[in-house]
Amino acid sequence: GAVVSQHPSRVICKSGTSVKIECRSLDFQATTMFWYRQFPKKSLMLMATSNEGSKATYEQGVEKDKFLINHASLTLSTLTVTSAHPEDSSFYICSARGAQGSYNSPLHFGNGTRLTVT
Amino acid sequence: GENVEQHPSTLSVQEGDSAVIKCTYSDSASNYFPWYKQELGKRPQLIIDIRSNVGEKKDQRIAVTLNKTAKHFSLHITETQPEDSAVYFCAAFSVMDTGRRALTFGSGTRLQVQP
């Protein structure tokens, strides 16, 4: 089946530094990737939708300058949390839909990245 | 944008009993409704999904029903086992405020199956 690899799984960084999270589709081409954020014991909130070769679309309330998304190829999307602060600490999960997938086809999730900003 | 509400937030059942989780959605154009199971610190795993042209779908002990008129869908787990204990999320694929189509998730149900 379709596999989405997300790296790193855990990262601890100091306040003010930037962190890059990678999301790769291993056995399919992902024209669209979604980045979600999940607080402890809460639901997944969509942050942005990225399409290969174009700018990401950010949901309301998500700062595009703080959460930089790049989808440079059909198998890789990256999320960079810039100038991280403790309130950015969260679980970030990417998901992908294949090139052949229609909008109502299953999404495949990465394993998530637990970010802790000290 | 879409609003997905999920109930209950916690559910405790005895092993062997059935569990039912219910969700409602607001966007009548939504046409794809997956259910995910998430264990602590892990990725959400798709367990079953249903499209709007179907009213019910079953896969072994898991079934999902969809009522498009009432805009609600439910997850049914029969003969529950301790390994079914997890957080379950419903979701609806619909148009977001940005005009993009994406999954909107419910708030989750923590299911605890008592042995």
Side-chain angles (χ1 to χ4, degrees):
Chain A
V3 177
V4 176
S5 174
Q6 188 173 340
H7 180 81
S9 57
R10 288 180 179 272
V11 59
I12 301 173
C13 70
K14 291 188 176 181
S15 189
T17 60
S18 295
V19 173
K20 180 184 282 190
I21 302 169
E22 292 188 348
C23 181
R24 293 181 185 273
S25 55
L26 296 186
D27 52 359
F28 68 102
Q29 294 183 323
T31 53
T32 304
M33 287 188 174
F34 303 91
W35 286 95
Y36 285 86
R37 181 175 181 176
Q38 186 177 31
F39 290 103
K41 298 184 179 181
K42 298 293 184 182
S43 188
L44 291 86
M45 302 300 296
L46 180 67
M47 297 175 66
T49 303
S50 75
N51 291 300
E52 185 266 337
S54 63
K55 290 184 178 180
T57 304
Y58 291 80
E59 295 301 313
Q60 275 190 339
V62 179
E63 299 175 59
K64 59 181 67 176
D65 294 331
K66 180 164 189 61
F67 299 99
L68 300 178
I69 292 173
N70 186 294
H71 194 157
S73 77
L74 283 172
T75 59
L76 174 64
S77 176
T78 60
L79 167 67
T80 301
V81 182
T82 62
S83 187
H85 290 285
E87 57 265 30
D88 299 325
S89 299
S90 191
F91 193 52
Y92 294 87
I93 312 177
C94 69
S95 65
R97 187 175 67 220
Q100 300 303 321
S102 65
Y103 59 81
N104 60 352
S105 58
L107 294 185
H108 308 287
F109 282 88
N111 269 328
T113 298
R114 183 160 303 283
L115 170 64
T116 302
V117 184
T118 61
Chain B
E2 176 74 279
N3 182 40
V4 177
E5 295 194 358
Q6 183 172 348
H7 300 280
S9 57
T10 59
L11 179 59
S12 182
V13 300
Q14 289 295 123
E15 182 177 359
D17 287 350
S18 295
V20 180
I21 303 171
K22 298 182 179 182
C23 287
T24 60
Y25 61 98
S26 59
D27 185 356
S28 56
S30 296
N31 57 8
Y32 175 63
F33 307 92
W35 285 88
Y36 288 88
K37 175 183 180 182
Q38 187 180 31
E39 297 176 8
L40 190 63
K42 303 283 183 65
R43 77 176 86 192
Q45 298 273 14
L46 178 70
I47 56 172
I48 196 167
D49 57 10
I50 191 167
R51 291 174 174 79
S52 57
N53 58 346
V54 176
E56 184 175 357
K57 183 177 179 181
K58 189 173 182 180
D59 182 4
Q60 299 182 352
R61 296 188 297 111
I62 296 173
V64 56
T65 59
L66 170 65
N67 184 326
K68 281 194 66 180
T69 303
K71 289 189 280 189
H72 67 70
F73 55 114
S74 301
L75 177 72
H76 303 253
I77 305 174
T78 58
E79 300 171 29
T80 53
Q81 301 165 4
E83 50 265 38
D84 294 330
S85 298
V87 179
Y88 292 80
F89 291 98
C90 63
F93 208 92
S94 55
V95 178
M96 311 298 286
D97 290 337
T98 54
R100 294 284 183 173
R101 283 186 168 271
L103 281 179
T104 299
F105 284 83
S107 52
T109 297
R110 184 171 299 277
L111 173 65
Q112 182 71 43
V113 180
Q114 307 289 346

